[in-house]
Amino acid sequence: MATIETTYRDALRLALTEAMREDDSVILIGEEVGVYGGAYGVTKAMIEEFGAHRVIDTPISEPAIVGAAVGAAMTGLRPVAELMYVDFVGMTMDQLANQAAKIRYMFGGQIGVPMVLRTQGGTGRSAGAQHSQSLEGYVMHTPGLRLAMPATVADAYHLLRQAMRQPDPVVFIEHKGLYTMKGEVDPDAPPAEWGRAAVLREGADLVIVSYSRQVHYALAAAERLASEGVEAAVVDLRTLNPLDFDTIRPMVEAAGRAMVVSEGVMTSGVAAELAARITEECFDFLEDPVLRVAGEDIPISVSPLLETNSVPTPDLIVDTVRKIGLGAAA
Amino acid sequence: MATSMTAPRPNTRLYDFYREMRRVRTFEERVGELFVRGQSAGSMLHLSIGEESAAVGVGAAMQAGDTFTTHHRGHGIFLARGAEPDRMMAEIAGKESGYCGGKGGSMHIADMSLGHLGANAIVGGGIPAVVGAGLSARNLGTGTVSVAFFGDGATGQGILYESLNMAALWQLPCLFVCINNQYGMGTRIDRATANPNLHERAAAFGLSARTVDGLSVEDVADAAEEMIADARAGRPGFLAIDCYRFFGHARKDKSPYRADGEEAAGRQKDPVSAARTKLIVSGLASVEALDALDKEIDAEMDGAIDFAVAGTEPPMAAMFRDVYAPGEPEPEPVSARLSRVLARD
């Protein structure tokens, strides 16, 4: 297969479909993954090819969906469980954090839990406070869980394929605002290494570290900043666990300035962790405090105006850079 | 174990059940000695004394390859499924020679080779794993059954009902075994539910469900054999076993919440002494033969304590191991990270 143009959604489906064709032990399990085809259409028609024993529609029982995936993963299957919204992760937290994440360690390395929990989060559909959150911080806070958050069509395919080959549980958080995004992917091309960040734009003045949809906002902001004479690099982390600090460190040391951009809320969030690490590891090179641009510490509103401004926007990123004396205001 | 020279060894099912129940009881009685011998690990100890028929009766009905999860009071179940007392005791004491290298302990003991998918310290936490194991058995055609063991306390957890529903819906080879020892920690079952007929709940989901009296290990085993055969054929079940928790919730709990005389009465429901009495009265075994057996078991469990005490703690290097799979980078220790970031060129 050569390079194809497709959508984030279809790239995800391609990854799942190819994995299921290659390996009979791969199953999908979750609410509406089968007959309905997934709440966002990712698994559309897959039940027709693979049957109801491999594309398993469940009752609305998130804890047991994850718990069953844990048990299946321990006994020979490769489950890809789906949590329709990441907002429901609290329902599953025992199975995820106390079971999946700890089984290898508690049992002295006897066995792992090779499962993927696919879910999606983020704002953009006026879905309200319980269907719009970015809860990756909960996952990143739990040792034992891998965490992947694709920003591009190519990563929707390749990161998901890689996630399904991991020996440890992976939480794979898609962004609901990206499903219809178009892009290119070559399924046969060797993918970027799992756990390695991607430098999507070089820039000598500032390094913007982000992931998921905010990568696109950071790129848009960097374009505008360039017109103001500021060269901002943009790094897409791709996975938050593993976290690729080796890519970030020399870039920040060279630029002397760093910004982290995350849709998750500010306090005790992913952005806080990234900012702390950059500060610790690059302290001697920093000319300004690490800029933390993150979700406001509030619930998400249905009002599109309030919703849009509850999380970072390209405007906010640009304005923040100006506040340290770079760009138009300088 | 040395063979007794003084009495012939009876070859009956009840004798085997008695032996296994007596092993469970003695193991549990010995566990407390870890503290006496200065082994402070394993502060969370939950004994299954009084519940031996559930472990042994159901355990005997399972087959090689069958899998199971247990609650936090699961020593007896693991023993009944073939665990070595030495390695169990060492694990409880947090020693490297234990089943999980000393990282799991009493509440997180597991052994994949014996089908033990893990004990659990979250009430109900291990139940849905058997649904997943049932899916594996179905999809991979292994012919195995997966059994969830839990206490009456878990009937207050929603995850149980989600799991029962899925197992019934998909006709998975699962058996749910509720060991009803009448207490969720200090709360007696009649203070936790208006309907203590627990099997009725499972029946409502479409599982075959029943309650047996745990006083008779034979009755438990008969029920379990039938229900496991059904489960293997895709008819999952729920078996409640009535028994009585002889002691407190955990080591230091002296059960002040139990009325005077309740424990004495409850301890009359003793499956081990019931089996012993029946063996003797029915002429299946002599007192001498049973005494000799008891001595052998005492020696076996004393040996387990010695093995645990003699063991060493896991090395510090094990601390960062097994968070992720072998070959993956281990998490960086805090001290190493600080030394690195604070180093000035």
Side-chain angles (χ1 to χ4, degrees), chain A residues 24-25 27 29 52-54 56-65 67-77 91 94-95 98-99 101 103-111 142-146 166-168 194 241-242 249 280-281 283-284, chain B residues 67 91 99-101 103-105 108-113 116-120 122 124-126 128-133 135-136 138-140 159 162-163 165-166 169-170 318-326 328-329 332 337-338 340-341 343-344:
Chain A
D24 286 345
S25 72
I27 61 165
I29 179 168
H53 278 200
R54 295 186 64 200
I56 303 170
D57 277 324
T58 68
I60 301 172
S61 303
E62 289 91 2
I65 291 167
V70 170
M74 293 176 75
T75 50
L77 293 181
M91 300 288 300
D94 176 56
Q95 290 302 318
N98 281 325
Q99 316 297 338
I103 278 172
R104 184 187 294 282
Y105 192 86
M106 293 192 299
F107 301 167
Q110 288 182 57
I111 192 164
T142 305
L145 297 179
R146 299 302 194 185
Q166 293 303 307
D168 293 307
W194 169 261
N241 183 346
R249 189 186 301 105
E280 259 182 354
E281 303 223 6
F283 186 79
D284 291 344
Chain B
T67 57
E91 185 58 39
Y99 270 101
C100 305
K103 284 178 168 176
H108 307 303
I109 202 164
D111 184 64
M112 298 309 129
S113 65
H116 191 354
L117 303 181
N120 225 292
I122 307 296
V130 306
V131 174
L135 287 171
S136 288
R138 181 191 75 179
N139 280 24
L140 302 173
I159 192 86
E162 296 183 11
S163 302
N165 185 45
M166 286 181 178
L169 179 66
W170 299 327
M319 198 159 88
F320 294 92
R321 203 179 292 152
D322 300 325
V323 182
Y324 303 102
E328 300 285 323
E332 186 178 24
R337 185 176 54 81
L338 286 169
R340 182 171 57 75
V341 302
R344 292 286 189 273

Side-chain angles (χ1 to χ4, degrees), chain B residues 20-76:
Chain B
E20 292 310 306
M21 290 197 296
R22 180 66 161 73
R23 289 178 74 236
V24 170
R25 176 154 306 180
T26 307
F27 180 92
E28 299 285 48
E29 288 170 350
R30 291 294 190 277
V31 162
E33 284 185 26
L34 287 175
F35 291 89
V36 177
R37 307 261 304 255
Q39 307 289 307
S40 60
S43 64
M44 305 297 280
L45 283 175
H46 308 89
L47 305 182
S48 63
I49 293 175
E51 309 171 17
E52 294 87 350
S53 62
V56 170
V58 180
M62 293 169 66
Q63 296 178 4
D66 289 347
T67 57
F68 61 104
T69 61
T70 82
H71 54 342
H72 56 287
R73 202 177 297 283
H75 298 161

Side-chain angles (χ1 to χ4, degrees), chain B residues 142-166:
Chain B
T142 60
T144 55
V145 168
S146 196
V147 182
F149 292 91
F150 49 91
D152 47 293
T155 63
Q157 295 278 32
I159 192 86
L160 170 63
Y161 305 103
E162 296 183 11
S163 302
L164 295 177
N165 185 45
M166 286 181 178

Side-chain angles (χ1 to χ4, degrees), chain A residues 242-319:
Chain A
L243 181 64
D244 178 14
F245 215 85
D246 291 341
T247 295
I248 299 169
R249 189 186 301 105
M251 293 177 71
V252 173
E253 288 178 357
R257 292 186 188 88
M259 170 190 281
V260 294
V261 184
S262 163
E263 201 165 316
V265 299
M266 178 78 80
T267 300
S268 295
V270 173
E273 175 59 28
L274 293 171
R277 286 208 192 191
I278 293 170
T279 303
E280 259 182 354
E281 303 223 6
C282 308
F283 186 79
D284 291 344
F285 300 86
L286 291 174
E287 294 176 32
D288 288 291
V290 177
L291 305 170
R292 201 154 42 115
V293 181
E296 303 290 349
D297 285 326
I298 57 174
I300 306 291
S301 296
V302 163
S303 150
L305 177 68
L306 302 189
E307 178 191 29
T308 303
N309 289 287
S310 296
V311 300
T313 59
D315 285 348
L316 182 64
I317 296 169
V318 170
D319 287 347

